[in-house]
Amino acid sequence: MSVNELKTKIHSLIDEVENEQLLAYIDSLLVQNGNANEIDWWDELTDEQKKETEEANEESKDERNLIDHEEVKKIARKWLGK
């Protein structure tokens, strides 16, 4: 399906939607992705930030480096003094 065909299809689908929450969600999605086309967040990072992000990604592939969600919540509660 071409870009123009997709746009036409999406336009007609949106015209049929009466749910305000769904329309607001679609609007926010389009706004966020529209901005994403202009600026790639990766290009905004420093070389050090990119390196650390890549290292963290590699480390996350080893389950021994991961922390259970419940444990993270306990740690956060301590930090927040709750």
Side-chain angles (χ1 to χ4, degrees):
M1 192 175 288
S2 73
V3 170
N4 285 335
E5 290 171 324
L6 282 171
K7 286 180 179 182
T8 300
K9 180 180 178 182
I10 291 168
H11 285 197
S12 65
L13 289 170
I14 288 175
D15 286 341
E16 295 174 14
V17 174
E18 296 298 328
N19 183 318
E20 187 176 350
Q21 288 178 320
L22 178 57
L23 289 169
Y25 175 71
I26 292 168
D27 178 62
S28 68
L29 263 175
L30 293 172
V31 168
Q32 288 171 1
N33 286 321
N35 292 338
N37 289 334
E38 295 172 17
I39 300 172
D40 185 345
W41 64 270
W42 184 257
D43 294 333
E44 299 295 309
L45 298 178
T46 66
D47 288 341
E48 182 64 25
Q49 290 170 321
K50 289 177 183 178
K51 179 182 171 198
E52 289 177 12
T53 301
E54 289 168 345
E55 288 174 2
N57 184 48
E58 285 303 311
E59 289 173 3
S60 72
K61 293 177 183 177
D62 184 346
E63 287 190 23
R64 294 174 295 176
N65 294 327
L66 302 179
I67 300 173
D68 179 72
H69 181 71
E70 290 303 317
E71 184 62 28
V72 172
K73 289 187 338 187
K74 286 179 192 174
I75 293 168
R77 281 193 292 273
K78 286 181 185 176
W79 285 345
L80 295 171
K82 294 183 179 184

